[in-house]
Amino acid sequence: AEDFKKIDLCGESIKKAEFEECTFISCDFSETLFHSCRFIDCRFIECDMSVVKLTDSILSGCEFISSKMIGIDWTMCDWKSLLSSDALRFKECILNDSNFFGLSLDRLELKECSVKEVDFRSGSFKNADFSFSDFKGTLFGDTHLEYANFSEATNTNIDLKNNYLKGAKFNRYEALYLLESIGIKLVD
């Protein structure tokens, strides 16, 4: 339960560290390797975590606010050893060029984020909140998005035939992109 402010670990390697209910403010973790670390109920505010490696690390109930998180391969985390994990929450973050392929992160929150060129294929993100986020170039395929909230999200190019969208919410204009995926043409 400590606060860490303006820590610079750019390019460093941290092994087997445990952080519970910690807050990281304006820290630079870009290109840092966290190996077998645990982050439980931590907050990251205005941090640079670009190209961070989270090899075999555990994240549960963490919140990321106004942080830069470009190029992270989230599949390298240790998701299997958690019996039940609290959802990850991102607000006003940049998550471009990241990988969530095949992950099961139901209730994930990505609010007001830049989520460009991200891979969500073959994953489960049921009841996720993707509101007000930009998904330009993001990949969805065989993705479970049941009851996900895409309200006010933009550039949601999701193929209705290759994804599971029962109960998902979209604003009217973005829903038009969904119809285009099945070949429907709208006219005025």
Side-chain angles (χ1 to χ4, degrees):
E2 291 187 42
D3 290 350
F4 298 92
K5 295 181 181 176
K6 298 186 178 183
I7 302 292
D8 185 350
L9 294 175
C10 179
E12 298 289 328
S13 180
I14 310 298
K15 295 182 181 179
K16 298 185 180 180
E18 295 191 23
F19 303 94
E20 190 166 340
E21 296 181 11
C22 293
T23 301
F24 301 90
I25 302 168
S26 300
C27 296
D28 186 354
F29 298 129
S30 57
E31 299 184 35
T32 300
L33 167 63
F34 289 102
H35 190 274
S36 299
C37 295
R38 291 172 43 99
F39 296 92
I40 310 299
D41 298 324
C42 292
R43 297 181 79 210
F44 297 83
I45 302 168
E46 297 179 355
C47 293
D48 185 352
M49 300 179 72
S50 296
V51 201
V52 71
K53 290 181 178 50
L54 297 161
T55 307
D56 296 325
S57 291
I58 293 173
L59 289 99
S60 179
C62 292
E63 182 176 25
F64 304 88
I65 301 168
S66 301
S67 293
K68 183 178 176 183
M69 311 177 78
I70 296 172
I72 297 177
D73 186 352
W74 295 94
T75 66
M76 296 181 71
C77 291
D78 179 1
W79 300 107
K80 293 182 176 138
S81 66
L82 288 171
L83 295 176
S84 68
S85 65
D86 290 327
L88 296 180
R89 298 177 308 279
F90 300 87
K91 183 168 181 170
E92 298 174 354
C93 292
I94 302 171
L95 290 133
N96 301 345
D97 301 306
S98 294
N99 183 19
F100 290 89
F101 182 90
L103 293 180
S104 182
L105 296 175
D106 296 335
R107 301 180 332 274
L108 175 69
E109 290 183 20
L110 292 170
K111 295 180 180 179
E112 301 176 61
C113 293
S114 178
V115 194
K116 298 176 183 176
E117 306 291 334
V118 174
D119 192 347
F120 286 105
R121 293 174 298 162
S122 299
S124 179
F125 306 96
K126 298 173 187 172
N127 297 297
D129 188 345
F130 297 130
S131 57
F132 295 92
S133 293
D134 183 356
F135 289 92
K136 185 175 183 178
T138 292
L139 300 174
F140 295 96
D142 192 32
T143 308
H144 288 269
L145 298 163
E146 290 94 331
Y147 303 100
N149 180 9
F150 284 93
S151 59
E152 302 304 325
T154 56
N155 298 308
T156 53
N157 188 7
I158 303 172
D159 189 338
L160 289 172
K161 296 179 282 186
N162 296 318
N163 294 283
Y164 306 91
L165 291 161
K166 180 180 178 182
K169 295 179 192 172
F170 292 86
N171 68 4
R172 293 176 199 251
Y173 298 109
E174 284 298 311
L176 298 176
Y177 290 114
L178 300 175
L179 296 175
E180 288 179 7
S181 74
I182 57 173
I184 292 178
K185 304 260 187 237
L186 297 175
V187 294
D188 291 331

